[in-house]
Each structure stands twice: as C-alpha cells, then as structure tokens.
Amino acid sequence: KNQVEQSPQSLIILEGKNCTLQCNYTVSPFSNLRWYKQDTGRGPVSLTIMTFSENTKSNGRYTATLDADTKQSSLHITASQLSDSASYICVVSGTGGGNKLTFGTGTQLKVEL
Amino acid sequence: GAVVSQHPSWVICKSGTSVKIECRSLDFQATTMFWYRQFPKQSLMLMATSNEGSKATYEQGVEKDKFLINHASLTLSTLTVTSAHPEDSSFYICSAHDRDTGELFFGEGSRLTVL
C-alpha cells in the first residue's frame, strides 16, 4: 500500500530559527514529490516539486531534499518567520494509473516570538 | 501564474438542500481535477478524481450518488453535495492538473456549513 508519513506531527519554534520537516514514503513506482504549504482555511500552495533525479531544490528560505534510494525527503526552513506558521504537506505521485497522488498527514508548524 | 478558482468560498445551507461547488482552472487546461475534503486539523482526504469527458473515479467510502462530480470541460469541474446533512460540513478543496506542465494547483477551498 502506498503511504506517505511525515514527522514531526507538530512543531513549535522561535522566530529566526531553522527547522527541518521529514517525509518518508513507500510509493512505487515513483514519479515526483511535492511539498505544499497550507495556511489555515486556505488551499495548499506549492513550494517545490522534485523528480527522481533531483536531490535538492530551493525556493527562497525553503530547501527540499530527496533521496530516492531511501525514499526520504526533507523540507528545511531557514530563518523562520511568523508567516511560516502553517501546515506543510508532502505529496508523492506514482507513475501510471492517472498519476495517483498520496498525501502525507502534514506537519503543523508554529513560529513564535 | 496559474490559478485555480473555487466558488463559493463559503456557503451555509439548510439540511436536505443541495450545494454546488465550482472549480475552474483560469489560465490552463486541466484534463484531471481532484476533489478533497478536509476536517479541522486533519490532512486532505481525496474524495474523487475527475477526468474531463468521463465519469469520476471515487475513493473507497465516498458515496458517488451523494457527491456528484461533473467535469464537462477542460477548465471546469463541479462538485454537488446532494441532500446535505450537518455531518457533510467540511472544507472542500479542488486541485487541477496542468496537462502541459504537469504541475498541480489547488483552489482556495470552499467551506460548507450545513445547519
């Protein structure tokens, strides 16, 4: 069964600090992995999308890594801001079958003063 | 950039009525759209996959007669919650798959409250 597990489930950090969110998946065959940020009451917004051959991709203060061998990804946030408080969702796409997506349960991040 | 528009963004209705939610891809063509439901502090739950010009594929446990999905064009999919009940109150989100770029974009969501 295709699964995407994220950790930690929730995280509280102080403004200005860095943090790393983890995503482990069992989706096979693998097509791509996406990280989304979802503010409360809003739709998810794409941060990065990574294919099999990509190891690292950055988007501003967000840096995603992918290890397709161990089926792990991380999202690193540097110099956190209050506006980074949101749910971060890892979504893995498999090949074939309409590119079915498997969603992680998300990591709830709260950045405090 | 590409945008997916959902309408209405929020709706309150009486129990027993039907509610239609629209999902539009504004500047790209989407052969596939997805509908999700999200309860407070939980992740998105895929309800169905909507393919243009064909019947939607529903996830296990989702009643197709209750959640009617129509994907009549490459830019529009609709979700109709029929005979809504309070337990149908939720945040409904759509996403659209850009057939040219492969990117997946989400709508802003529609909050349904059934009284």
Side-chain angles (χ1 to χ4, degrees):
Chain A
K1 180 181 179 181
N2 290 334
Q3 288 186 313
V4 176
E5 296 183 353
Q6 291 187 241
S7 62
Q9 187 175 19
S10 61
L11 181 63
I12 301 174
I13 61 174
L14 295 176
E15 186 182 26
K17 299 296 185 181
N18 304 334
C19 67
T20 301
L21 314 180
Q22 299 290 343
C23 174
N24 298 336
Y25 62 94
T26 61
V27 176
S28 181
F30 171 84
S31 177
N32 58 66
L33 184 147
R34 313 161 193 256
W35 282 95
Y36 286 88
K37 176 187 178 187
Q38 184 181 21
D39 294 315
T40 301
R42 307 290 294 276
V45 174
S46 178
L47 296 176
T48 64
I49 176 172
M50 302 180 73
T51 58
F52 184 88
S53 59
E54 296 175 298
N55 300 120
T56 303
K57 182 170 281 189
S58 293
N59 178 3
R61 294 181 295 103
Y62 302 104
T63 299
T65 66
L66 174 64
D67 186 334
D69 292 329
T70 61
K71 298 185 178 180
Q72 296 180 327
S73 175
S74 67
L75 180 69
H76 186 73
I77 305 174
T78 59
S80 62
Q81 300 176 0
L82 296 178
S83 59
D84 292 332
S85 297
S87 177
Y88 291 84
I89 305 169
C90 176
V91 184
V92 182
S93 177
T95 59
N99 292 327
K100 191 174 179 77
L101 304 174
T102 305
F103 283 76
T105 54
T107 293
Q108 191 68 39
L109 173 66
K110 185 175 183 180
V111 181
E112 296 181 335
L113 291 171
Chain B
V3 176
V4 173
S5 172
Q6 268 187 253
H7 177 80
S9 57
W10 60 270
V11 58
I12 301 173
C13 69
K14 293 182 179 180
S15 184
T17 60
S18 295
V19 176
K20 179 184 285 187
I21 301 170
E22 293 186 348
C23 178
R24 294 182 183 271
S25 57
L26 296 185
D27 56 3
F28 66 94
Q29 293 184 326
T31 50
T32 305
M33 290 185 174
F34 304 88
W35 286 97
Y36 314 83
R37 183 166 50 183
Q38 187 176 35
F39 294 106
K41 297 185 178 181
Q42 295 188 22
S43 186
L44 285 74
M45 293 172 47
L46 180 64
M47 299 175 65
T49 302
S50 168
N51 294 298
E52 186 265 338
S54 63
K55 292 184 178 180
T57 303
Y58 290 82
E59 295 299 301
Q60 190 173 9
V62 178
E63 299 176 57
K64 62 180 180 181
D65 294 329
K66 180 167 185 62
F67 299 100
L68 301 178
I69 292 173
N70 183 278
H71 192 164
S73 77
L74 287 172
T75 58
L76 174 64
S77 177
T78 61
L79 168 67
T80 301
V81 183
T82 63
S83 187
H85 289 95
E87 56 265 31
D88 297 324
S89 299
S90 186
F91 193 52
Y92 291 88
I93 304 175
C94 73
S95 68
H97 188 249
D98 185 332
R99 69 173 185 175
D100 294 327
T101 67
E103 184 57 86
L104 181 70
F105 300 97
F106 285 84
E108 283 294 321
S110 299
R111 182 162 301 284
L112 171 63
T113 301
V114 185
L115 302 177

Short mmCIF file of all heavy atoms in Angstrom, two decimals, chain A residues 62-112:
data_model
loop_
_atom_site.label_atom_id
_atom_site.label_comp_id
_atom_site.label_asym_id
_atom_site.label_seq_id
_atom_site.Cartn_x
_atom_site.Cartn_y
_atom_site.Cartn_z
N TYR A 62 13.08 28.09 1.70
CA TYR A 62 12.71 26.67 1.73
C TYR A 62 13.67 25.86 0.86
O TYR A 62 13.91 26.21 -0.30
CB TYR A 62 11.29 26.47 1.20
CG TYR A 62 10.22 27.22 1.95
CD1 TYR A 62 9.65 28.37 1.42
CD2 TYR A 62 9.77 26.77 3.19
CE1 TYR A 62 8.67 29.06 2.10
CE2 TYR A 62 8.78 27.45 3.87
CZ TYR A 62 8.23 28.59 3.33
OH TYR A 62 7.25 29.27 4.01
N THR A 63 14.22 24.80 1.43
CA THR A 63 15.08 23.89 0.67
C THR A 63 14.59 22.47 0.88
O THR A 63 14.53 22.00 2.01
CB THR A 63 16.55 24.01 1.12
OG1 THR A 63 17.01 25.34 0.89
CG2 THR A 63 17.42 23.04 0.32
N ALA A 64 14.27 21.81 -0.21
CA ALA A 64 13.82 20.43 -0.13
C ALA A 64 14.92 19.50 -0.62
O ALA A 64 15.67 19.84 -1.54
CB ALA A 64 12.57 20.23 -0.98
N THR A 65 15.03 18.36 0.02
CA THR A 65 15.97 17.33 -0.42
C THR A 65 15.21 16.05 -0.71
O THR A 65 14.12 15.82 -0.17
CB THR A 65 17.04 17.04 0.65
OG1 THR A 65 16.40 16.46 1.79
CG2 THR A 65 17.76 18.31 1.05
N LEU A 66 15.77 15.24 -1.57
CA LEU A 66 15.14 13.97 -1.92
C LEU A 66 16.20 12.89 -2.05
O LEU A 66 17.21 13.07 -2.75
CB LEU A 66 14.37 14.09 -3.25
CG LEU A 66 13.79 12.80 -3.80
CD1 LEU A 66 12.72 12.24 -2.86
CD2 LEU A 66 13.23 13.01 -5.19
N ASP A 67 15.99 11.78 -1.37
CA ASP A 67 16.82 10.59 -1.51
C ASP A 67 15.91 9.49 -2.01
O ASP A 67 15.19 8.87 -1.22
CB ASP A 67 17.47 10.22 -0.18
CG ASP A 67 18.45 9.07 -0.32
OD1 ASP A 67 18.31 8.25 -1.25
OD2 ASP A 67 19.37 8.97 0.50
N ALA A 68 15.93 9.27 -3.32
CA ALA A 68 15.03 8.29 -3.91
C ALA A 68 15.39 6.86 -3.53
O ALA A 68 14.55 5.96 -3.61
CB ALA A 68 15.02 8.45 -5.43
N ASP A 69 16.64 6.65 -3.13
CA ASP A 69 17.04 5.30 -2.73
C ASP A 69 16.42 4.90 -1.40
O ASP A 69 15.92 3.79 -1.23
CB ASP A 69 18.57 5.22 -2.64
CG ASP A 69 19.22 5.33 -4.00
OD1 ASP A 69 18.59 4.90 -4.99
OD2 ASP A 69 20.35 5.86 -4.09
N THR A 70 16.48 5.82 -0.44
CA THR A 70 15.89 5.54 0.88
C THR A 70 14.45 5.99 0.96
O THR A 70 13.79 5.76 1.97
CB THR A 70 16.71 6.24 1.98
OG1 THR A 70 16.66 7.64 1.76
CG2 THR A 70 18.16 5.76 1.98
N LYS A 71 13.97 6.64 -0.09
CA LYS A 71 12.57 7.12 -0.14
C LYS A 71 12.30 8.09 0.99
O LYS A 71 11.31 7.93 1.75
CB LYS A 71 11.60 5.95 -0.15
CG LYS A 71 11.76 5.06 -1.37
CD LYS A 71 10.72 3.97 -1.44
CE LYS A 71 10.90 3.15 -2.72
NZ LYS A 71 9.92 2.07 -2.85
N GLN A 72 13.18 9.07 1.09
CA GLN A 72 13.02 10.07 2.12
C GLN A 72 13.19 11.46 1.51
O GLN A 72 13.97 11.66 0.58
CB GLN A 72 14.07 9.88 3.22
CG GLN A 72 13.93 8.58 3.99
CD GLN A 72 15.01 8.43 5.06
OE1 GLN A 72 16.13 8.89 4.90
NE2 GLN A 72 14.64 7.80 6.17
N SER A 73 12.45 12.41 2.08
CA SER A 73 12.58 13.80 1.68
C SER A 73 12.54 14.66 2.92
O SER A 73 11.97 14.26 3.94
CB SER A 73 11.45 14.19 0.72
OG SER A 73 11.51 15.58 0.41
N SER A 74 13.16 15.81 2.84
CA SER A 74 13.10 16.76 3.94
C SER A 74 12.83 18.15 3.39
O SER A 74 13.14 18.45 2.23
CB SER A 74 14.41 16.76 4.74
OG SER A 74 15.47 17.26 3.95
N LEU A 75 12.22 18.96 4.22
CA LEU A 75 12.00 20.36 3.89
C LEU A 75 12.64 21.19 4.98
O LEU A 75 12.24 21.09 6.14
CB LEU A 75 10.50 20.69 3.79
CG LEU A 75 10.18 22.15 3.45
CD1 LEU A 75 10.59 22.46 2.01
CD2 LEU A 75 8.70 22.44 3.66
N HIS A 76 13.64 21.98 4.61
CA HIS A 76 14.37 22.78 5.57
C HIS A 76 13.94 24.23 5.42
O HIS A 76 13.94 24.77 4.31
CB HIS A 76 15.88 22.65 5.34
CG HIS A 76 16.70 23.33 6.38
ND1 HIS A 76 16.85 22.83 7.66
CD2 HIS A 76 17.42 24.48 6.33
CE1 HIS A 76 17.64 23.64 8.35
NE2 HIS A 76 17.99 24.64 7.57
N ILE A 77 13.58 24.83 6.53
CA ILE A 77 13.17 26.23 6.55
C ILE A 77 14.22 27.02 7.33
O ILE A 77 14.49 26.70 8.50
CB ILE A 77 11.79 26.42 7.19
CG1 ILE A 77 10.75 25.54 6.47
CG2 ILE A 77 11.36 27.89 7.12
CD1 ILE A 77 9.38 25.54 7.13
N THR A 78 14.80 28.00 6.71
CA THR A 78 15.81 28.80 7.38
C THR A 78 15.24 30.15 7.81
O THR A 78 14.31 30.67 7.19
CB THR A 78 17.02 29.04 6.46
OG1 THR A 78 16.56 29.71 5.27
CG2 THR A 78 17.67 27.74 6.05
N ALA A 79 15.80 30.65 8.90
CA ALA A 79 15.41 31.98 9.40
C ALA A 79 13.89 32.13 9.42
O ALA A 79 13.32 33.00 8.77
CB ALA A 79 16.05 33.07 8.54
N SER A 80 13.26 31.28 10.20
CA SER A 80 11.80 31.21 10.19
C SER A 80 11.16 32.55 10.53
O SER A 80 11.71 33.37 11.29
CB SER A 80 11.33 30.13 11.16
OG SER A 80 11.73 30.45 12.48
N GLN A 81 9.98 32.74 9.97
CA GLN A 81 9.19 33.94 10.21
C GLN A 81 7.82 33.53 10.74
O GLN A 81 7.39 32.40 10.55
CB GLN A 81 9.04 34.74 8.90
CG GLN A 81 10.37 35.19 8.31
CD GLN A 81 10.21 35.88 6.97
OE1 GLN A 81 9.10 36.03 6.46
NE2 GLN A 81 11.33 36.32 6.40
N LEU A 82 7.15 34.47 11.37
CA LEU A 82 5.82 34.19 11.92
C LEU A 82 4.88 33.67 10.82
O LEU A 82 4.02 32.82 11.07
CB LEU A 82 5.23 35.43 12.58
CG LEU A 82 6.00 35.96 13.80
CD1 LEU A 82 5.32 37.22 14.32
CD2 LEU A 82 6.09 34.91 14.89
N SER A 83 5.05 34.20 9.61
CA SER A 83 4.19 33.81 8.50
C SER A 83 4.44 32.38 8.01
O SER A 83 3.68 31.87 7.18
CB SER A 83 4.38 34.77 7.32
OG SER A 83 5.72 34.76 6.89
N ASP A 84 5.50 31.76 8.52
CA ASP A 84 5.75 30.36 8.15
C ASP A 84 4.83 29.42 8.91
O ASP A 84 4.76 28.22 8.59
CB ASP A 84 7.21 29.98 8.44
CG ASP A 84 8.19 30.70 7.54
OD1 ASP A 84 7.82 31.03 6.40
OD2 ASP A 84 9.33 30.93 7.97
N SER A 85 4.13 29.93 9.91
CA SER A 85 3.20 29.09 10.67
C SER A 85 2.12 28.57 9.73
O SER A 85 1.36 29.35 9.15
CB SER A 85 2.56 29.90 11.80
OG SER A 85 3.54 30.33 12.73
N ALA A 86 2.07 27.26 9.58
CA ALA A 86 1.14 26.64 8.63
C ALA A 86 1.29 25.13 8.73
O ALA A 86 2.10 24.62 9.50
CB ALA A 86 1.45 27.09 7.20
N SER A 87 0.52 24.45 7.91
CA SER A 87 0.68 23.00 7.78
C SER A 87 1.48 22.74 6.52
O SER A 87 1.23 23.34 5.48
CB SER A 87 -0.69 22.33 7.68
OG SER A 87 -0.55 20.94 7.49
N TYR A 88 2.46 21.86 6.60
CA TYR A 88 3.32 21.53 5.46
C TYR A 88 3.02 20.09 5.05
O TYR A 88 3.14 19.17 5.85
CB TYR A 88 4.79 21.73 5.81
CG TYR A 88 5.11 23.20 5.99
CD1 TYR A 88 4.87 23.84 7.21
CD2 TYR A 88 5.59 23.96 4.94
CE1 TYR A 88 5.11 25.20 7.37
CE2 TYR A 88 5.85 25.32 5.09
CZ TYR A 88 5.60 25.92 6.30
OH TYR A 88 5.84 27.26 6.45
N ILE A 89 2.64 19.94 3.81
CA ILE A 89 2.15 18.66 3.33
C ILE A 89 3.08 18.10 2.26
O ILE A 89 3.47 18.82 1.34
CB ILE A 89 0.73 18.80 2.74
CG1 ILE A 89 -0.21 19.43 3.78
CG2 ILE A 89 0.19 17.44 2.31
CD1 ILE A 89 -1.55 19.84 3.21
N CYS A 90 3.42 16.85 2.41
CA CYS A 90 4.25 16.14 1.44
C CYS A 90 3.32 15.29 0.57
O CYS A 90 2.48 14.55 1.10
CB CYS A 90 5.26 15.27 2.19
SG CYS A 90 6.29 14.22 1.16
N VAL A 91 3.44 15.40 -0.73
CA VAL A 91 2.58 14.67 -1.64
C VAL A 91 3.46 13.91 -2.64
O VAL A 91 4.31 14.51 -3.29
CB VAL A 91 1.64 15.62 -2.41
CG1 VAL A 91 0.69 14.81 -3.29
CG2 VAL A 91 0.87 16.50 -1.44
N VAL A 92 3.24 12.63 -2.74
CA VAL A 92 4.05 11.80 -3.64
C VAL A 92 3.18 11.28 -4.77
O VAL A 92 2.07 10.78 -4.54
CB VAL A 92 4.70 10.64 -2.88
CG1 VAL A 92 5.58 9.81 -3.82
CG2 VAL A 92 5.54 11.18 -1.72
N SER A 93 3.70 11.40 -5.96
CA SER A 93 2.99 10.93 -7.14
C SER A 93 3.65 9.68 -7.69
O SER A 93 4.87 9.63 -7.83
CB SER A 93 2.99 12.03 -8.20
OG SER A 93 2.36 11.58 -9.38
N GLY A 94 2.81 8.69 -7.99
CA GLY A 94 3.32 7.48 -8.61
C GLY A 94 3.07 7.51 -10.10
O GLY A 94 2.24 8.27 -10.59
N THR A 95 3.77 6.71 -10.83
CA THR A 95 3.58 6.67 -12.27
C THR A 95 2.41 5.75 -12.61
O THR A 95 2.05 4.86 -11.86
CB THR A 95 4.83 6.15 -12.98
OG1 THR A 95 5.14 4.84 -12.50
CG2 THR A 95 6.00 7.07 -12.73
N GLY A 96 1.81 6.00 -13.77
CA GLY A 96 0.71 5.16 -14.21
C GLY A 96 -0.54 5.39 -13.40
O GLY A 96 -0.54 6.10 -12.40
N GLY A 97 -1.64 4.84 -13.87
CA GLY A 97 -2.90 4.92 -13.12
C GLY A 97 -3.37 6.33 -12.90
O GLY A 97 -3.98 6.63 -11.87
N GLY A 98 -3.09 7.24 -13.86
CA GLY A 98 -3.52 8.62 -13.70
C GLY A 98 -2.67 9.39 -12.73
O GLY A 98 -3.12 10.40 -12.17
N ASN A 99 -1.42 8.93 -12.52
CA ASN A 99 -0.51 9.65 -11.61
C ASN A 99 -1.15 9.85 -10.25
O ASN A 99 -1.25 10.97 -9.75
CB ASN A 99 -0.10 11.00 -12.20
CG ASN A 99 0.79 10.83 -13.41
OD1 ASN A 99 1.58 9.89 -13.49
ND2 ASN A 99 0.66 11.72 -14.35
N LYS A 100 -1.57 8.80 -9.64
CA LYS A 100 -2.28 8.89 -8.37
C LYS A 100 -1.38 9.52 -7.32
O LYS A 100 -0.21 9.18 -7.19
CB LYS A 100 -2.73 7.51 -7.91
CG LYS A 100 -3.69 7.56 -6.73
CD LYS A 100 -4.21 6.18 -6.40
CE LYS A 100 -5.15 6.23 -5.20
NZ LYS A 100 -6.47 6.74 -5.61
N LEU A 101 -1.98 10.43 -6.56
CA LEU A 101 -1.25 11.15 -5.53
C LEU A 101 -1.50 10.52 -4.17
O LEU A 101 -2.62 10.10 -3.87
CB LEU A 101 -1.70 12.61 -5.50
CG LEU A 101 -1.60 13.39 -6.81
CD1 LEU A 101 -2.22 14.76 -6.64
CD2 LEU A 101 -0.15 13.52 -7.22
N THR A 102 -0.48 10.47 -3.36
CA THR A 102 -0.61 10.03 -1.99
C THR A 102 -0.19 11.18 -1.08
O THR A 102 0.93 11.68 -1.21
CB THR A 102 0.24 8.77 -1.71
OG1 THR A 102 -0.12 7.74 -2.64
CG2 THR A 102 -0.01 8.27 -0.30
N PHE A 103 -1.07 11.56 -0.18
CA PHE A 103 -0.83 12.71 0.69
C PHE A 103 -0.30 12.26 2.04
O PHE A 103 -0.78 11.27 2.61
CB PHE A 103 -2.13 13.48 0.90
CG PHE A 103 -2.53 14.33 -0.26
CD1 PHE A 103 -3.08 13.76 -1.39
CD2 PHE A 103 -2.35 15.70 -0.23
CE1 PHE A 103 -3.46 14.55 -2.46
CE2 PHE A 103 -2.72 16.50 -1.30
CZ PHE A 103 -3.28 15.92 -2.42
N GLY A 104 0.65 13.03 2.56
CA GLY A 104 1.04 12.86 3.94
C GLY A 104 0.03 13.56 4.83
O GLY A 104 -0.79 14.35 4.37
N THR A 105 0.10 13.28 6.12
CA THR A 105 -0.84 13.88 7.07
C THR A 105 -0.42 15.28 7.47
O THR A 105 -1.15 15.97 8.15
CB THR A 105 -1.00 13.00 8.31
OG1 THR A 105 0.30 12.75 8.85
CG2 THR A 105 -1.67 11.69 7.97
N GLY A 106 0.77 15.70 7.05
CA GLY A 106 1.19 17.06 7.29
C GLY A 106 1.93 17.27 8.60
O GLY A 106 1.81 16.47 9.53
N THR A 107 2.73 18.31 8.64
CA THR A 107 3.38 18.77 9.87
C THR A 107 2.86 20.17 10.16
O THR A 107 2.94 21.05 9.30
CB THR A 107 4.91 18.81 9.73
OG1 THR A 107 5.41 17.49 9.60
CG2 THR A 107 5.55 19.49 10.94
N GLN A 108 2.32 20.33 11.35
CA GLN A 108 1.80 21.63 11.75
C GLN A 108 2.93 22.41 12.41
O GLN A 108 3.41 22.05 13.47
CB GLN A 108 0.65 21.45 12.73
CG GLN A 108 -0.13 22.72 13.02
CD GLN A 108 -0.89 23.23 11.83
OE1 GLN A 108 -1.47 22.45 11.07
NE2 GLN A 108 -0.91 24.53 11.62
N LEU A 109 3.35 23.49 11.74
CA LEU A 109 4.44 24.32 12.26
C LEU A 109 3.90 25.61 12.84
O LEU A 109 3.07 26.27 12.23
CB LEU A 109 5.44 24.65 11.14
CG LEU A 109 6.55 25.64 11.50
CD1 LEU A 109 7.48 25.05 12.56
CD2 LEU A 109 7.33 26.06 10.27
N LYS A 110 4.38 25.94 14.03
CA LYS A 110 4.03 27.21 14.64
C LYS A 110 5.31 27.95 14.98
O LYS A 110 6.18 27.41 15.66
CB LYS A 110 3.19 27.01 15.91
CG LYS A 110 2.69 28.31 16.52
CD LYS A 110 1.75 28.05 17.69
CE LYS A 110 1.20 29.36 18.23
NZ LYS A 110 0.28 29.13 19.38
N VAL A 111 5.41 29.17 14.48
CA VAL A 111 6.57 30.01 14.76
C VAL A 111 6.14 31.09 15.75
O VAL A 111 5.18 31.82 15.49
CB VAL A 111 7.12 30.66 13.48
CG1 VAL A 111 8.34 31.51 13.79
CG2 VAL A 111 7.46 29.58 12.45
N GLU A 112 6.88 31.17 16.86
CA GLU A 112 6.52 32.12 17.91
C GLU A 112 7.62 33.15 18.11
O GLU A 112 8.78 32.94 17.76
CB GLU A 112 6.28 31.36 19.22
CG GLU A 112 5.11 30.41 19.18
CD GLU A 112 4.90 29.72 20.52
OE1 GLU A 112 5.87 29.60 21.31
OE2 GLU A 112 3.76 29.30 20.80
#
